[in-house]
Amino acid sequence: MTVRHLLADDDLTAAEQSRVLDLAARLKADPYAVPVLSGPRSVAIISDKPTLRTQVSFAAGIAELQGHPMLVDGRLAGIGTRESVPDVARVLGRQVAAIVWRTYAQTDLEAMAEHAGVPVVNALTDAYHPCQLLADLLTIREHRGTLAGQRVGWIGDGANNVAASTLLAGALAGMHLQVVAPEGYQPAEDVLTRARALAETSGGSVQVSSDPGVLAGADVLVTDTWVSMGTEAEAAEREAVLGPYRLTTEVAETAPDGIVLHCLPAYRGKEIDAAVIDGPRSVVWDQAENRRHAQKAVLALLCVGFGELAGEHRR
Ligand code: NVA
């Protein structure tokens, strides 16, 4: 059987993405419905960058799948310094059922996947954050009833990992995506090309602008920190350029029915006003909870196989 991974959002087809979301919704209602890791089988959760939601939601979710979550400090392991990524992959692949890795370079994650022999899941890299997007899509579906045709407005750093994943996963789901960001912080051409190709098939669309006015009437408003992990040295410059691209009360008022998403951690008064993130249209706590349900679903489907995991079997 070919080993499947989730390295970027478009590793899933549209049909697989919706299967993951359906299974996530089922697991949310019945957390122990699919004990795919019973054995017990261990899953390594490796963190090279700070983590709260990711580590906790994966660990809790793996326990609910009746597996054993193994927390690995990437710095202690010295992945890529003390040992090469392929060697680490070969060693871990002999011990665990899957590897969940938060790291910097997407190429390192790809090398892990190439050599591990077990599913590898991207728990955030500099390039993408696909687990976040599965949780976001689940949250949007819960609050808006549907994904296809929803108008999603992103404001802030349009070149970061969560923005790239929003474009790819959103386009796969048939959403209309509008990124508002200043020059230098707009999505990479490669991401735009892939997202536009997906949107063409799904009936969605992808637009980039530097005018926050285009967010008027959006169904979903999203932002993220201006200073992603690993870019701290650029903090002053980023805050100066991205300053006018905040999710303020005034911007939120132009989309009065829009729900508000933020992957957290949030910096109130910077990328988002406190009144917006703490206001009635904010769904950020649902988003945070949904990380667990979405990740359980994707792990279940990667470990057992998208063709295999049907109905209630494996109980
Ligand atoms: N773009 C942010 C997301 C944090 C969950 C970062 O990479 O730091």
Side-chain angles (χ1 to χ4, degrees):
M1 189 181 99
T2 325
V3 179
R4 295 284 307 271
H5 308 286
L6 180 65
L7 308 182
D9 306 78
D10 50 353
D11 285 345
L12 299 179
T13 64
E16 288 170 346
Q17 183 192 66
S18 96
R19 276 204 73 195
V20 169
L21 297 177
D22 289 346
L23 180 58
R26 201 177 121 216
L27 287 167
K28 188 167 182 174
D30 181 3
Y32 298 98
V34 185
V36 291
L37 295 167
S38 54
R41 299 161 79 199
S42 300
V43 175
I45 306 166
I46 316 168
S47 306
D48 292 342
K49 288 178 174 175
T51 174
L52 170 71
R53 273 153 298 279
T54 295
Q55 178 167 279
V56 170
S57 59
F58 265 111
I62 289 160
E64 287 176 4
L65 290 171
Q66 299 184 18
H68 168 65
M70 187 187 291
L71 303 183
V72 179
D73 180 336
R75 280 165 305 186
L76 198 61
I79 304 174
T81 50
R82 184 165 167 263
E83 281 184 87
S84 72
V85 175
D87 283 2
V88 171
R90 292 178 186 113
V91 168
L92 291 180
R94 298 290 182 103
Q95 305 290 352
V96 298
I99 298 166
V100 172
W101 193 14
R102 166 167 288 191
T103 192
Y104 294 86
Q106 184 72 11
T107 49
D108 283 341
L109 189 78
E110 288 165 1
M112 183 75 90
E114 190 183 336
H115 298 279
V118 296
V120 172
V121 176
N122 181 348
L124 181 148
T125 58
D126 294 343
Y128 309 108
H129 196 2
C131 291
Q132 181 66 52
L133 257 292
L134 290 170
D136 291 5
L137 295 185
L138 183 63
T139 309
I140 295 168
R141 214 172 70 161
E142 288 171 350
H143 286 271
R144 310 286 321 187
T146 181
L147 296 177
Q150 291 290 299
R151 293 182 53 200
V152 178
W154 173 284
I155 183 165
D157 181 1
N160 80 7
N161 42 13
V162 182
S165 281
T166 300
L167 286 172
L168 295 171
L172 205 53
M175 302 171 111
H176 299 297
L177 301 143
Q178 177 80 67
V179 175
V180 176
E183 244 174 72
Y185 292 89
Q186 295 186 344
E189 274 312 314
D190 152 63
V191 170
L192 284 176
T193 305
R194 281 154 60 204
R196 287 190 170 126
L198 294 169
E200 205 150 293
T201 309
S202 67
S205 62
V206 176
Q207 311 272 345
V208 180
S209 169
S210 51
D211 171 17
V214 300
L215 299 177
D219 301 306
V220 180
L221 294 166
V222 201
T223 190
D224 184 14
T225 180
W226 293 333
V227 185
S228 284
M229 294 177 278
T231 69
E232 292 80 1
E234 303 164 13
E237 186 193 329
R238 286 175 159 268
E239 289 185 8
V241 181
L242 290 163
Y245 295 83
R246 25 180 118 212
L247 186 42
T248 57
T249 306
E250 293 71 38
V251 169
E253 275 168 2
T254 68
D257 295 328
I259 55 170
V260 171
L261 272 73
H262 190 308
C263 63
L264 307 172
Y267 300 91
R268 289 167 173 81
K270 294 201 170 176
E271 78 274 4
I272 192 163
D273 281 359
V276 176
I277 193 165
D278 299 322
R281 289 194 276 136
S282 168
V283 296
V284 301
W285 312 117
D286 291 342
Q287 259 183 290
E289 175 187 337
N290 284 340
R291 292 290 303 279
R292 179 169 91 261
H293 311 303
Q295 290 158 187
K296 282 174 69 181
V298 85
L299 268 179
L301 289 163
L302 291 175
C303 290
V304 178
F306 280 87
E308 303 297 316
L309 193 71
E312 259 65 35
H313 82 295
R314 301 188 67 89
R315 225 186 207 291

